[in-house]
Amino acid sequence: LQRLPHFLQANFLLCSEGQVTMPPLQRVHVVARNIRPLGSFSPSSCSSEPVPSGTRKINKLLVANRGEIAIRIFRAARDLGIRTVAIYTEDDQEALHLRSADEAICLASANGERASYLNKASVFEAVRASGASAVHPGYGFLSEDSAFAEGIQKMGVIWIGPPPQVVDLFGDKVLARAAAIKQKVEVPRGPVDPCSSPAEVRSEMKKLGVEFPIMLKAVHGGGGRGMREVHADKDLDSAFQHCAGEAQAAL
């Protein structure tokens, strides 16, 4: 964390309610290999603190996200004097987050898959084309994909987020729970090992003395997917199948 003191400051600035003047949006279609600025760069303030020895300075930041998440990061980066790059799909050509960045790149299809915020190859290409020195994933989308984090680092680009091995650890909810318990962090009561059927859930509830309502969470769910609150036994079977199916479809 000490390697990114300025951006840690930026993360705290995300909660600021101050008004930010955005550059006018030039309605242009930007492709991965033809970058055009959306507006002039005029940061409201720049930090004059010297960059610590051995620390890589962030000159241009690409945010691999959209919507309010990206806007908040762009706002903080602008206050720190960091140039920003947005990414978008063709469906998002009028998206508000494009107004907040200095440049924007339309994601192209890659590896036989359609362009999307979840297509790693598309985002990698956007990073290369932009010349960004750092990538912030926001949350959701690829922020919990360790292969994406590792790929960004292999490109020689600063990854603003936990190391890939930590992403892997917390991507598996059973391992994450075990790690929390090992560090003496309190967690809700639940089974040590995952349940593979509604019958196992009922058995574990009986052992633990737990009654409804309960929360079901898929081991590899993420971003709210694969999670259901169950208020009665009659709803358990359908909720279990829904969690498993939703998590599998998402991953």
Side-chain angles (χ1 to χ4, degrees):
L1 294 180
Q2 293 177 350
R3 295 181 180 177
L4 296 170
H6 298 306
F7 216 88
L8 285 177
Q9 179 186 359
N11 285 334
F12 288 110
L13 289 172
L14 299 185
C15 298
S16 170
E17 297 300 328
Q19 297 297 316
V20 177
T21 302
M22 299 301 179
L25 177 65
Q26 298 176 10
R27 298 184 182 279
V28 297
H29 182 71
V30 187
V31 296
R33 298 189 182 279
N34 184 17
I35 307 171
R36 304 179 191 176
L38 293 181
S40 58
F41 178 61
S42 55
S44 59
S45 64
C46 298
S47 173
S48 59
E49 298 178 11
V51 177
S53 176
T55 300
R56 295 170 59 192
K57 185 177 180 180
I58 298 174
N59 297 310
K60 184 186 286 190
L61 171 68
L62 182 144
V63 177
N65 217 297
R66 67 182 298 280
E68 182 184 357
I69 300 167
I71 291 172
R72 287 176 177 270
I73 300 170
F74 290 146
R75 180 185 299 171
R78 178 178 297 276
D79 286 343
L80 294 171
I82 299 172
R83 196 169 178 82
T84 55
V85 182
I87 59 173
Y88 67 100
T89 61
E90 291 187 1
D91 294 338
D92 267 353
Q93 291 183 55
E94 302 297 323
L96 185 59
H97 72 283
L98 301 185
R99 293 178 178 269
S100 305
D102 299 293
E103 301 174 10
I105 297 180
C106 184
L107 296 172
S109 59
N111 288 349
E113 299 179 12
R114 65 184 296 271
S116 78
Y117 298 97
L118 291 172
N119 187 330
K120 289 190 286 290
S122 293
V123 180
F124 287 150
E125 177 60 24
V127 174
R128 291 189 189 95
S130 71
S133 57
V135 170
H136 194 312
Y139 58 87
F141 288 136
L142 294 170
S143 65
E144 297 181 33
D145 189 320
S146 61
F148 179 66
E150 187 174 1
I152 293 297
Q153 291 180 334
K154 286 182 177 179
M155 293 171 64
V157 175
I158 298 170
W159 165 254
I160 301 175
Q165 60 269 29
V166 175
V167 176
D168 264 338
L169 173 63
F170 284 92
D172 185 314
K173 302 306 181 287
V174 174
L175 295 179
R177 180 183 173 89
I181 293 172
K182 184 177 180 180
Q183 297 300 321
K184 303 187 184 304
V185 175
E186 291 189 18
V187 298
R189 283 188 296 169
V192 176
D193 298 314
C195 298
S196 59
S197 68
E200 285 190 30
V201 175
R202 294 185 177 94
S203 176
E204 289 293 337
M205 288 178 64
K206 186 174 182 180
K207 291 178 184 177
L208 295 168
V210 174
E211 298 180 353
F212 291 99
I214 63 170
M215 184 69 76
L216 288 182
K217 183 74 175 75
V219 172
H220 293 288
R225 294 183 176 90
M227 183 166 61
R228 281 293 182 276
E229 186 177 3
V230 186
H231 290 272
D233 184 78
K234 64 181 178 64
D235 301 320
L236 180 59
D237 288 43
S238 60
F240 188 95
Q241 296 302 324
H242 188 96
C243 286
E246 192 174 51
Q248 186 175 14
L251 297 174

PDB file of all heavy atoms in Angstrom, residues 92-122:
ATOM      1  N   ASP A  92     -22.774   1.522 -25.008  1.00  0.00           N
ATOM      2  CA  ASP A  92     -22.540   2.562 -24.003  1.00  0.00           C
ATOM      3  C   ASP A  92     -21.976   3.854 -24.590  1.00  0.00           C
ATOM      4  O   ASP A  92     -21.351   4.643 -23.877  1.00  0.00           O
ATOM      5  CB  ASP A  92     -21.561   2.036 -22.943  1.00  0.00           C
ATOM      6  CG  ASP A  92     -22.278   1.414 -21.754  1.00  0.00           C
ATOM      7  OD1 ASP A  92     -23.519   1.512 -21.689  1.00  0.00           O
ATOM      8  OD2 ASP A  92     -21.604   0.831 -20.885  1.00  0.00           O
ATOM      9  N   GLN A  93     -22.202   4.091 -25.878  1.00  0.00           N
ATOM     10  CA  GLN A  93     -21.606   5.267 -26.518  1.00  0.00           C
ATOM     11  C   GLN A  93     -22.067   6.584 -25.894  1.00  0.00           C
ATOM     12  O   GLN A  93     -21.352   7.588 -25.959  1.00  0.00           O
ATOM     13  CB  GLN A  93     -21.938   5.278 -28.014  1.00  0.00           C
ATOM     14  CG  GLN A  93     -21.249   4.185 -28.795  1.00  0.00           C
ATOM     15  CD  GLN A  93     -21.537   4.278 -30.281  1.00  0.00           C
ATOM     16  OE1 GLN A  93     -21.312   5.320 -30.885  1.00  0.00           O
ATOM     17  NE2 GLN A  93     -22.040   3.209 -30.863  1.00  0.00           N
ATOM     18  N   GLU A  94     -23.243   6.587 -25.275  1.00  0.00           N
ATOM     19  CA  GLU A  94     -23.764   7.799 -24.645  1.00  0.00           C
ATOM     20  C   GLU A  94     -23.654   7.733 -23.121  1.00  0.00           C
ATOM     21  O   GLU A  94     -24.257   8.542 -22.417  1.00  0.00           O
ATOM     22  CB  GLU A  94     -25.233   8.011 -25.035  1.00  0.00           C
ATOM     23  CG  GLU A  94     -25.471   8.123 -26.531  1.00  0.00           C
ATOM     24  CD  GLU A  94     -24.775   9.330 -27.136  1.00  0.00           C
ATOM     25  OE1 GLU A  94     -24.729  10.373 -26.462  1.00  0.00           O
ATOM     26  OE2 GLU A  94     -24.280   9.226 -28.278  1.00  0.00           O
ATOM     27  N   ALA A  95     -22.906   6.781 -22.609  1.00  0.00           N
ATOM     28  CA  ALA A  95     -22.805   6.596 -21.160  1.00  0.00           C
ATOM     29  C   ALA A  95     -22.166   7.809 -20.482  1.00  0.00           C
ATOM     30  O   ALA A  95     -21.257   8.449 -21.027  1.00  0.00           O
ATOM     31  CB  ALA A  95     -22.002   5.340 -20.842  1.00  0.00           C
ATOM     32  N   LEU A  96     -22.637   8.111 -19.287  1.00  0.00           N
ATOM     33  CA  LEU A  96     -22.195   9.305 -18.575  1.00  0.00           C
ATOM     34  C   LEU A  96     -20.716   9.254 -18.196  1.00  0.00           C
ATOM     35  O   LEU A  96     -20.045  10.295 -18.151  1.00  0.00           O
ATOM     36  CB  LEU A  96     -23.043   9.486 -17.303  1.00  0.00           C
ATOM     37  CG  LEU A  96     -22.802  10.760 -16.485  1.00  0.00           C
ATOM     38  CD1 LEU A  96     -23.068  11.991 -17.342  1.00  0.00           C
ATOM     39  CD2 LEU A  96     -23.682  10.756 -15.241  1.00  0.00           C
ATOM     40  N   HIS A  97     -20.188   8.049 -17.937  1.00  0.00           N
ATOM     41  CA  HIS A  97     -18.795   7.997 -17.483  1.00  0.00           C
ATOM     42  C   HIS A  97     -17.810   8.470 -18.555  1.00  0.00           C
ATOM     43  O   HIS A  97     -16.684   8.855 -18.244  1.00  0.00           O
ATOM     44  CB  HIS A  97     -18.427   6.585 -16.989  1.00  0.00           C
ATOM     45  CG  HIS A  97     -18.273   5.542 -18.060  1.00  0.00           C
ATOM     46  ND1 HIS A  97     -19.336   4.939 -18.678  1.00  0.00           N
ATOM     47  CD2 HIS A  97     -17.159   4.987 -18.608  1.00  0.00           C
ATOM     48  CE1 HIS A  97     -18.906   4.061 -19.561  1.00  0.00           C
ATOM     49  NE2 HIS A  97     -17.583   4.058 -19.542  1.00  0.00           N
ATOM     50  N   LEU A  98     -18.239   8.481 -19.828  1.00  0.00           N
ATOM     51  CA  LEU A  98     -17.355   8.976 -20.886  1.00  0.00           C
ATOM     52  C   LEU A  98     -17.100  10.479 -20.751  1.00  0.00           C
ATOM     53  O   LEU A  98     -16.063  10.978 -21.176  1.00  0.00           O
ATOM     54  CB  LEU A  98     -17.957   8.685 -22.258  1.00  0.00           C
ATOM     55  CG  LEU A  98     -18.232   7.214 -22.597  1.00  0.00           C
ATOM     56  CD1 LEU A  98     -18.719   7.091 -24.024  1.00  0.00           C
ATOM     57  CD2 LEU A  98     -16.996   6.363 -22.369  1.00  0.00           C
ATOM     58  N   ARG A  99     -18.031  11.201 -20.155  1.00  0.00           N
ATOM     59  CA  ARG A  99     -17.867  12.640 -19.967  1.00  0.00           C
ATOM     60  C   ARG A  99     -16.801  12.960 -18.925  1.00  0.00           C
ATOM     61  O   ARG A  99     -16.276  14.071 -18.892  1.00  0.00           O
ATOM     62  CB  ARG A  99     -19.190  13.266 -19.507  1.00  0.00           C
ATOM     63  CG  ARG A  99     -20.299  13.240 -20.538  1.00  0.00           C
ATOM     64  CD  ARG A  99     -21.562  13.842 -19.942  1.00  0.00           C
ATOM     65  NE  ARG A  99     -22.644  13.878 -20.914  1.00  0.00           N
ATOM     66  CZ  ARG A  99     -22.892  14.900 -21.716  1.00  0.00           C
ATOM     67  NH1 ARG A  99     -22.111  15.965 -21.673  1.00  0.00           N
ATOM     68  NH2 ARG A  99     -23.897  14.863 -22.565  1.00  0.00           N
ATOM     69  N   SER A 100     -16.528  11.998 -18.060  1.00  0.00           N
ATOM     70  CA  SER A 100     -15.633  12.252 -16.932  1.00  0.00           C
ATOM     71  C   SER A 100     -14.176  11.952 -17.232  1.00  0.00           C
ATOM     72  O   SER A 100     -13.305  12.259 -16.419  1.00  0.00           O
ATOM     73  CB  SER A 100     -16.089  11.412 -15.731  1.00  0.00           C
ATOM     74  OG  SER A 100     -17.436  11.666 -15.423  1.00  0.00           O
ATOM     75  N   ALA A 101     -13.899  11.311 -18.364  1.00  0.00           N
ATOM     76  CA  ALA A 101     -12.528  10.917 -18.691  1.00  0.00           C
ATOM     77  C   ALA A 101     -11.932  11.828 -19.759  1.00  0.00           C
ATOM     78  O   ALA A 101     -12.647  12.527 -20.476  1.00  0.00           O
ATOM     79  CB  ALA A 101     -12.499   9.471 -19.175  1.00  0.00           C
ATOM     80  N   ASP A 102     -10.615  11.812 -19.861  1.00  0.00           N
ATOM     81  CA  ASP A 102      -9.919  12.612 -20.862  1.00  0.00           C
ATOM     82  C   ASP A 102      -9.884  11.914 -22.217  1.00  0.00           C
ATOM     83  O   ASP A 102      -9.816  12.564 -23.258  1.00  0.00           O
ATOM     84  CB  ASP A 102      -8.483  12.891 -20.397  1.00  0.00           C
ATOM     85  CG  ASP A 102      -8.460  13.663 -19.099  1.00  0.00           C
ATOM     86  OD1 ASP A 102      -8.870  14.830 -19.096  1.00  0.00           O
ATOM     87  OD2 ASP A 102      -8.055  13.090 -18.076  1.00  0.00           O
ATOM     88  N   GLU A 103      -9.925  10.592 -22.205  1.00  0.00           N
ATOM     89  CA  GLU A 103      -9.934   9.802 -23.429  1.00  0.00           C
ATOM     90  C   GLU A 103     -10.901   8.647 -23.241  1.00  0.00           C
ATOM     91  O   GLU A 103     -11.250   8.299 -22.114  1.00  0.00           O
ATOM     92  CB  GLU A 103      -8.528   9.239 -23.734  1.00  0.00           C
ATOM     93  CG  GLU A 103      -7.440  10.279 -23.897  1.00  0.00           C
ATOM     94  CD  GLU A 103      -6.065   9.637 -24.045  1.00  0.00           C
ATOM     95  OE1 GLU A 103      -5.994   8.405 -24.212  1.00  0.00           O
ATOM     96  OE2 GLU A 103      -5.069  10.381 -23.986  1.00  0.00           O
ATOM     97  N   ALA A 104     -11.342   8.065 -24.344  1.00  0.00           N
ATOM     98  CA  ALA A 104     -12.217   6.901 -24.267  1.00  0.00           C
ATOM     99  C   ALA A 104     -11.890   5.938 -25.392  1.00  0.00           C
ATOM    100  O   ALA A 104     -11.565   6.361 -26.501  1.00  0.00           O
ATOM    101  CB  ALA A 104     -13.680   7.320 -24.358  1.00  0.00           C
ATOM    102  N   ILE A 105     -11.979   4.663 -25.094  1.00  0.00           N
ATOM    103  CA  ILE A 105     -11.685   3.630 -26.079  1.00  0.00           C
ATOM    104  C   ILE A 105     -12.856   2.660 -26.146  1.00  0.00           C
ATOM    105  O   ILE A 105     -13.305   2.136 -25.127  1.00  0.00           O
ATOM    106  CB  ILE A 105     -10.398   2.858 -25.709  1.00  0.00           C
ATOM    107  CG1 ILE A 105      -9.197   3.801 -25.721  1.00  0.00           C
ATOM    108  CG2 ILE A 105     -10.168   1.697 -26.661  1.00  0.00           C
ATOM    109  CD1 ILE A 105      -7.898   3.128 -25.383  1.00  0.00           C
ATOM    110  N   CYS A 106     -13.340   2.451 -27.359  1.00  0.00           N
ATOM    111  CA  CYS A 106     -14.422   1.487 -27.566  1.00  0.00           C
ATOM    112  C   CYS A 106     -13.819   0.085 -27.608  1.00  0.00           C
ATOM    113  O   CYS A 106     -12.913  -0.190 -28.395  1.00  0.00           O
ATOM    114  CB  CYS A 106     -15.147   1.787 -28.869  1.00  0.00           C
ATOM    115  SG  CYS A 106     -16.570   0.711 -29.169  1.00  0.00           S
ATOM    116  N   LEU A 107     -14.301  -0.783 -26.764  1.00  0.00           N
ATOM    117  CA  LEU A 107     -13.784  -2.145 -26.697  1.00  0.00           C
ATOM    118  C   LEU A 107     -14.115  -2.907 -27.980  1.00  0.00           C
ATOM    119  O   LEU A 107     -15.236  -2.841 -28.485  1.00  0.00           O
ATOM    120  CB  LEU A 107     -14.375  -2.881 -25.499  1.00  0.00           C
ATOM    121  CG  LEU A 107     -14.001  -2.321 -24.122  1.00  0.00           C
ATOM    122  CD1 LEU A 107     -14.799  -3.026 -23.024  1.00  0.00           C
ATOM    123  CD2 LEU A 107     -12.501  -2.483 -23.870  1.00  0.00           C
ATOM    124  N   ALA A 108     -13.138  -3.626 -28.483  1.00  0.00           N
ATOM    125  CA  ALA A 108     -13.325  -4.430 -29.692  1.00  0.00           C
ATOM    126  C   ALA A 108     -13.453  -5.898 -29.311  1.00  0.00           C
ATOM    127  O   ALA A 108     -12.990  -6.327 -28.251  1.00  0.00           O
ATOM    128  CB  ALA A 108     -12.133  -4.229 -30.630  1.00  0.00           C
ATOM    129  N   SER A 109     -14.089  -6.677 -30.165  1.00  0.00           N
ATOM    130  CA  SER A 109     -14.197  -8.115 -29.915  1.00  0.00           C
ATOM    131  C   SER A 109     -12.806  -8.739 -29.972  1.00  0.00           C
ATOM    132  O   SER A 109     -11.930  -8.262 -30.691  1.00  0.00           O
ATOM    133  CB  SER A 109     -15.117  -8.769 -30.946  1.00  0.00           C
ATOM    134  OG  SER A 109     -14.617  -8.545 -32.255  1.00  0.00           O
ATOM    135  N   ALA A 110     -12.609  -9.796 -29.197  1.00  0.00           N
ATOM    136  CA  ALA A 110     -11.294 -10.445 -29.148  1.00  0.00           C
ATOM    137  C   ALA A 110     -11.462 -11.908 -28.771  1.00  0.00           C
ATOM    138  O   ALA A 110     -12.383 -12.280 -28.041  1.00  0.00           O
ATOM    139  CB  ALA A 110     -10.386  -9.739 -28.135  1.00  0.00           C
ATOM    140  N   ASN A 111     -10.548 -12.736 -29.276  1.00  0.00           N
ATOM    141  CA  ASN A 111     -10.571 -14.180 -29.004  1.00  0.00           C
ATOM    142  C   ASN A 111     -11.912 -14.819 -29.365  1.00  0.00           C
ATOM    143  O   ASN A 111     -12.384 -15.736 -28.688  1.00  0.00           O
ATOM    144  CB  ASN A 111     -10.260 -14.442 -27.524  1.00  0.00           C
ATOM    145  CG  ASN A 111      -8.795 -14.193 -27.198  1.00  0.00           C
ATOM    146  OD1 ASN A 111      -7.970 -14.021 -28.093  1.00  0.00           O
ATOM    147  ND2 ASN A 111      -8.472 -14.175 -25.916  1.00  0.00           N
ATOM    148  N   GLY A 112     -12.544 -14.310 -30.412  1.00  0.00           N
ATOM    149  CA  GLY A 112     -13.800 -14.890 -30.860  1.00  0.00           C
ATOM    150  C   GLY A 112     -14.985 -14.546 -29.994  1.00  0.00           C
ATOM    151  O   GLY A 112     -16.085 -15.084 -30.192  1.00  0.00           O
ATOM    152  N   GLU A 113     -14.802 -13.665 -29.018  1.00  0.00           N
ATOM    153  CA  GLU A 113     -15.886 -13.274 -28.121  1.00  0.00           C
ATOM    154  C   GLU A 113     -16.260 -11.821 -28.382  1.00  0.00           C
ATOM    155  O   GLU A 113     -15.424 -11.006 -28.777  1.00  0.00           O
ATOM    156  CB  GLU A 113     -15.458 -13.442 -26.661  1.00  0.00           C
ATOM    157  CG  GLU A 113     -15.096 -14.866 -26.270  1.00  0.00           C
ATOM    158  CD  GLU A 113     -14.659 -14.959 -24.817  1.00  0.00           C
ATOM    159  OE1 GLU A 113     -14.859 -13.980 -24.067  1.00  0.00           O
ATOM    160  OE2 GLU A 113     -14.108 -16.001 -24.439  1.00  0.00           O
ATOM    161  N   ARG A 114     -17.532 -11.504 -28.158  1.00  0.00           N
ATOM    162  CA  ARG A 114     -17.997 -10.140 -28.367  1.00  0.00           C
ATOM    163  C   ARG A 114     -17.347  -9.205 -27.351  1.00  0.00           C
ATOM    164  O   ARG A 114     -16.945  -9.621 -26.262  1.00  0.00           O
ATOM    165  CB  ARG A 114     -19.522 -10.064 -28.253  1.00  0.00           C
ATOM    166  CG  ARG A 114     -20.063 -10.377 -26.867  1.00  0.00           C
ATOM    167  CD  ARG A 114     -21.589 -10.380 -26.867  1.00  0.00           C
ATOM    168  NE  ARG A 114     -22.122  -9.070 -27.168  1.00  0.00           N
ATOM    169  CZ  ARG A 114     -22.376  -8.155 -26.228  1.00  0.00           C
ATOM    170  NH1 ARG A 114     -22.100  -8.410 -24.953  1.00  0.00           N
ATOM    171  NH2 ARG A 114     -22.895  -6.991 -26.563  1.00  0.00           N
ATOM    172  N   ALA A 115     -17.246  -7.951 -27.717  1.00  0.00           N
ATOM    173  CA  ALA A 115     -16.655  -6.959 -26.825  1.00  0.00           C
ATOM    174  C   ALA A 115     -17.527  -6.771 -25.592  1.00  0.00           C
ATOM    175  O   ALA A 115     -18.747  -6.665 -25.694  1.00  0.00           O
ATOM    176  CB  ALA A 115     -16.506  -5.629 -27.557  1.00  0.00           C
ATOM    177  N   SER A 116     -16.908  -6.785 -24.435  1.00  0.00           N
ATOM    178  CA  SER A 116     -17.635  -6.550 -23.187  1.00  0.00           C
ATOM    179  C   SER A 116     -16.644  -6.171 -22.113  1.00  0.00           C
ATOM    180  O   SER A 116     -15.435  -6.349 -22.267  1.00  0.00           O
ATOM    181  CB  SER A 116     -18.427  -7.793 -22.765  1.00  0.00           C
ATOM    182  OG  SER A 116     -17.577  -8.753 -22.163  1.00  0.00           O
ATOM    183  N   TYR A 117     -17.162  -5.674 -21.008  1.00  0.00           N
ATOM    184  CA  TYR A 117     -16.309  -5.292 -19.883  1.00  0.00           C
ATOM    185  C   TYR A 117     -15.718  -6.523 -19.195  1.00  0.00           C
ATOM    186  O   TYR A 117     -14.826  -6.395 -18.358  1.00  0.00           O
ATOM    187  CB  TYR A 117     -17.110  -4.472 -18.866  1.00  0.00           C
ATOM    188  CG  TYR A 117     -17.648  -3.170 -19.433  1.00  0.00           C
ATOM    189  CD1 TYR A 117     -18.948  -3.077 -19.901  1.00  0.00           C
ATOM    190  CD2 TYR A 117     -16.830  -2.043 -19.503  1.00  0.00           C
ATOM    191  CE1 TYR A 117     -19.444  -1.888 -20.422  1.00  0.00           C
ATOM    192  CE2 TYR A 117     -17.308  -0.845 -20.032  1.00  0.00           C
ATOM    193  CZ  TYR A 117     -18.614  -0.774 -20.487  1.00  0.00           C
ATOM    194  OH  TYR A 117     -19.101   0.402 -21.005  1.00  0.00           O
ATOM    195  N   LEU A 118     -16.215  -7.704 -19.546  1.00  0.00           N
ATOM    196  CA  LEU A 118     -15.712  -8.943 -18.961  1.00  0.00           C
ATOM    197  C   LEU A 118     -14.745  -9.680 -19.883  1.00  0.00           C
ATOM    198  O   LEU A 118     -14.204 -10.713 -19.502  1.00  0.00           O
ATOM    199  CB  LEU A 118     -16.887  -9.873 -18.612  1.00  0.00           C
ATOM    200  CG  LEU A 118     -17.785  -9.427 -17.454  1.00  0.00           C
ATOM    201  CD1 LEU A 118     -19.004 -10.333 -17.356  1.00  0.00           C
ATOM    202  CD2 LEU A 118     -17.010  -9.438 -16.138  1.00  0.00           C
ATOM    203  N   ASN A 119     -14.551  -9.164 -21.088  1.00  0.00           N
ATOM    204  CA  ASN A 119     -13.641  -9.795 -22.046  1.00  0.00           C
ATOM    205  C   ASN A 119     -12.221  -9.281 -21.774  1.00  0.00           C
ATOM    206  O   ASN A 119     -11.857  -8.170 -22.148  1.00  0.00           O
ATOM    207  CB  ASN A 119     -14.070  -9.464 -23.474  1.00  0.00           C
ATOM    208  CG  ASN A 119     -13.271 -10.232 -24.514  1.00  0.00           C
ATOM    209  OD1 ASN A 119     -12.103 -10.568 -24.291  1.00  0.00           O
ATOM    210  ND2 ASN A 119     -13.889 -10.504 -25.654  1.00  0.00           N
ATOM    211  N   LYS A 120     -11.419 -10.109 -21.122  1.00  0.00           N
ATOM    212  CA  LYS A 120     -10.066  -9.677 -20.718  1.00  0.00           C
ATOM    213  C   LYS A 120      -9.227  -9.246 -21.907  1.00  0.00           C
ATOM    214  O   LYS A 120      -8.502  -8.244 -21.850  1.00  0.00           O
ATOM    215  CB  LYS A 120      -9.376 -10.820 -19.950  1.00  0.00           C
ATOM    216  CG  LYS A 120      -9.942 -11.090 -18.575  1.00  0.00           C
ATOM    217  CD  LYS A 120      -9.079 -12.048 -17.790  1.00  0.00           C
ATOM    218  CE  LYS A 120      -9.216 -13.476 -18.283  1.00  0.00           C
ATOM    219  NZ  LYS A 120     -10.551 -14.043 -17.951  1.00  0.00           N
ATOM    220  N   ALA A 121      -9.287 -10.014 -22.997  1.00  0.00           N
ATOM    221  CA  ALA A 121      -8.469  -9.691 -24.168  1.00  0.00           C
ATOM    222  C   ALA A 121      -8.822  -8.308 -24.718  1.00  0.00           C
ATOM    223  O   ALA A 121      -7.942  -7.550 -25.154  1.00  0.00           O
ATOM    224  CB  ALA A 121      -8.650 -10.762 -25.245  1.00  0.00           C
ATOM    225  N   SER A 122     -10.107  -7.966 -24.713  1.00  0.00           N
ATOM    226  CA  SER A 122     -10.542  -6.649 -25.195  1.00  0.00           C
ATOM    227  C   SER A 122      -9.973  -5.537 -24.324  1.00  0.00           C
ATOM    228  O   SER A 122      -9.500  -4.509 -24.826  1.00  0.00           O
ATOM    229  CB  SER A 122     -12.072  -6.559 -25.191  1.00  0.00           C
ATOM    230  OG  SER A 122     -12.640  -7.429 -26.140  1.00  0.00           O
TER     231      SER A 122
END
